[in-house]
């Protein structure tokens, strides 16, 4: 269509379901420079929450076509432009997939804008139906087979499609869906998975996620469990003392150690030996281990020298009190720090946050309640899905920082994805190592081509449409 408009001053713009510009074409160099100066470039978001009424963000909100002339734009910068935008609705899922927009300088003949764009949108929707019909039918067949049992709580989660039985919908609240989808995502690459989940209502369920053959979809069985009275994750009777708590930075080692040690416990941090001096720090440690009293927590033993680790092992053998050691995982536990860890009669390994994504929505909500109190803020389902998709290398500590930042940005109402810090606003790549590698290769090719998708596609040896398809699948914007 851009070729058909080469002798006009009109521009064509394609945006995704979040009103983010995917592609932008204009043969008229003057008008192209005007729009570029206004910030209309690939990757920019033109949502109503950012630039007010416009012919991209408003059709996303209203699901209807809209003609906006000059001063009808909320942003004064766009008063010199006339645009018509029409939403692209997936014919099977009925979800908005994006917006197609045509625009020109104020005063441009706009009577045919709507007819032209609607025709192009119909072509796009026909292609979506043609491309997705077989996969959608497979998902529907899997769902119908699983839903034959009248009281079975089951969901099918596919690309742009979620099917659920009435009993599953009765059990799940909107905030629970992000946790369920996070669990389902993990099974797409690792086979059948099972995880325990506490719903927003407080009920505990077991999710069994099974990939559906021949299609990118997952069947999720939800089985309610008896209420869990065990308390915190991993808690239970210790096989004995000392206890070793192992976890990545930010995974909650200190919290776990304090819960195990009980009230009145004393804490020593091995990193303090750097400024106190090893000898002074070791003297305090030995005195505490020789004395009686509540449990002693010795944190970050991974920072101990081999000589200090040997001294700790010697003191542990004659310790008169219960002791909890904390450490990061790694080969050091079998090397220089093997002596004290070998004396521990119990060990707890904390699972990193990226391996329990299904817990992120509930954790985020609890952290928000701690940060904002009764301020009335809440995380939307879309925001929870964005949070659950991140890898969180800093684990709980990193998640807590992001939630506190979002709470500070909005004192009341819904916290949406744009309220998160900039680097956390977009969905991240799937956790599969293969997909992560594919994502890195595509990003590198686009950067090398300075954003030129056609040149990047040629460098990768694929068509431009294939490149855009993979970019959408891997959430590359």
């Amino acid at each position: 269509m851009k070729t058909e408009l080469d002798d006009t001053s009109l521009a064509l713009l394609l945006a995704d379901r979040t009103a983010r510009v995917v592609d932008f074409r204009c043969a008229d160099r003057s008008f192209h420079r005007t729009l570029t100066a206004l910030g209309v470039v690939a990757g920019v978001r033109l949502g109503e929450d950012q630039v007010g009424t416009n012919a991209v963000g408003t059709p996303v909100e209203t699901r209807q076509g809209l003609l906006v002339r000059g001063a009808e734009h909320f942003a004064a910068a766009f008063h010199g432009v006339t645009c018509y935008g029409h939403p692209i609705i997936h014919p099977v899922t009925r979800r908005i997939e994006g917006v197609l927009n045509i625009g020109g300088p104020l005063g441009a003949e706009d009577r045919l804008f709507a007819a032209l764009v609607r025709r192009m949108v119909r072509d796009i929707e026909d292609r979506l139906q043609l491309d997705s019909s077989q996969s959608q039918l497979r998902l529907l067949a899997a769902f119908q087979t699983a839903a034959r049992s009248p009281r079975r709580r089951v969901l099918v989660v596919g690309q742009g499609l979620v099917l659920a039985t009435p009993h599953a919908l009765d059990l799940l609240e909107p905030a629970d869906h992000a946790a369920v989808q996070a669990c389902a995502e993990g099974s797409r690459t690792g086979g059948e998975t099972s995880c325990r989940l506490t719903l927003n209502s407080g009920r505990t369920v077991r999710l069994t996620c099974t990939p559906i053959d021949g299609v990118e979809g997952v069947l999720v069985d939800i089985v309610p469990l008896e209420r869990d009275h065990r308390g915190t994750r991993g808690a239970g009777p210790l096989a004995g003392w000392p206890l070793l708590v192992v976890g990545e930075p930010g995974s909650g080692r200190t919290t776990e150690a304090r819960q195990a040690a009980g009230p009145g416990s004393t804490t020593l941090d091995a990193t303090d030996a750097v400024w106190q001096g090893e000898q002074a720090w070791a003297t305090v440690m030995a005195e505490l281990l020789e004395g009686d009293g509540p449990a002693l927590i010795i944190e970050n033993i991974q920072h101990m020298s081999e000589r200090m680790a040997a001294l700790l092992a010697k003191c542990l053998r004659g310790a008169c009190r219960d002791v909890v050691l904390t450490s990061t995982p790694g080969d050091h536990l079998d090397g220089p720090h093997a002596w004290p860890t070998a004396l521990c009669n119990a060990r707890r390994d904390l699972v990193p946050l990226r391996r329990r994504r299904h817990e992120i929505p509930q954790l985020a909500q609890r952290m928000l309640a701690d940060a904002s109190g009764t301020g009335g803020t809440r995380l939307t389902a879309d925001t929870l899905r964005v949070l659950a998709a991140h890898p969180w290398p800093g684990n709980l500590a990193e998640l807590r920082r992001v939630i506190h930042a979002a709470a500070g940005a909005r004192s009341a109402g819904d916290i949406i994805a744009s309220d998160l810090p900039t680097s956390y606003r977009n969905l991240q790549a799937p956790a599969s190592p293969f997909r992560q590698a594919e994502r890195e290769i595509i990003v590198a090719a686009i950067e090398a081509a300075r954003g030129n998708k056609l040149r990047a596609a040629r460098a990768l040896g694929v068509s431009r449409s294939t490149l855009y398809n993979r970019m959408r699948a891997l959430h590359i914007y």
Side-chain angles (χ1 to χ4, degrees), residues 279-443:
Q279 184 172 350
W281 190 90
T283 299
V284 174
M285 177 190 70
E287 291 175 352
L288 287 171
L289 288 173
E290 290 171 2
D292 199 1
L296 173 65
I297 301 172
I298 301 179
E299 293 232 62
N300 298 309
I301 66 168
Q302 73 273 7
H303 294 303
M304 285 184 170
S305 65
E306 189 168 359
R307 184 177 62 175
M308 289 283 288
L311 178 61
L312 172 60
K314 179 180 178 181
C315 294
L316 280 176
R317 292 189 182 94
C320 298
R321 61 169 72 193
D322 296 332
V323 180
V324 183
L325 307 180
T326 74
S327 174
T328 56
D331 294 339
H332 66 92
L333 295 176
D334 297 318
H337 303 121
W339 292 348
T341 57
L343 294 174
C344 293
N345 294 318
R347 172 168 170 163
R348 293 183 189 170
D349 288 273
L350 304 183
V351 180
L353 200 53
R354 63 182 174 276
R355 287 173 49 195
R356 47 191 181 101
R357 295 178 187 269
H358 57 282
E359 296 181 26
I360 291 175
Q362 191 175 26
L363 288 169
Q365 288 174 316
R366 285 207 300 263
M367 290 175 182
L368 178 62
D370 293 340
S372 60
T374 57
T377 56
R378 68 185 184 95
L379 297 159
T380 65
D382 283 340
T383 306
L384 291 173
R385 276 193 287 272
V386 170
L387 293 173
H390 277 274
W392 301 109
N395 291 289
L396 295 169
E398 182 183 5
L399 176 62
R400 186 174 290 105
R401 286 196 301 271
V402 171
I403 295 300
H404 278 241
R410 188 180 292 272
S411 58
D414 290 346
I415 293 179
I416 59 178
S418 60
D419 292 324
L420 300 174
T422 305
S423 57
Y424 294 89
R425 292 175 185 173
N426 296 327
L427 289 172
Q428 297 296 297
S432 161
F434 176 80
R435 289 194 173 190
Q436 182 64 35
E438 182 185 12
R439 189 180 198 276
E440 291 174 359
I441 290 170
I442 291 175
V443 169

Side-chain angles (χ1 to χ4, degrees), residues 217-280:
V218 178
L219 180 70
V220 183
D221 259 304
I222 308 173
V223 179
L225 302 176
E226 294 297 325
R227 189 172 294 276
D228 190 358
H229 296 288
R230 294 181 304 166
T232 58
R233 184 188 76 260
L238 291 172
W241 298 91
L243 166 67
L244 175 64
V245 178
V246 180
E248 293 182 358
S251 59
R253 293 193 310 268
T254 299
T255 300
E256 189 78 12
R258 288 174 179 170
Q259 289 176 346
S265 60
T266 303
T267 300
L268 271 181
D269 194 330
T271 57
D272 291 341
V274 174
W275 60 273
Q276 289 181 0
E278 284 193 352
Q279 184 172 350

Side-chain angles (χ1 to χ4, degrees), residues 33-110:
R33 285 194 299 268
T34 297
L35 293 179
T36 302
L38 295 175
V40 181
V41 294
V44 73
R45 190 168 172 272
L46 299 175
E48 266 201 335
D49 57 328
Q50 291 187 308
V51 294
T53 301
N54 69 92
V56 177
T58 303
V60 168
E61 300 295 334
T62 64
R63 296 174 66 95
Q64 295 180 346
L66 178 69
L67 177 67
V68 184
R69 294 187 178 98
E72 294 174 351
H73 287 93
F74 177 82
F78 293 104
H79 286 183
V81 179
T82 295
C83 296
Y84 176 82
H86 199 87
I88 301 168
I89 309 293
H90 198 293
V92 177
T93 66
R94 307 309 302 166
R95 289 181 57 185
I96 288 184
E97 294 295 330
V99 173
L100 186 64
N101 177 286
I102 189 170
L106 185 62
E109 182 58 57
D110 57 32

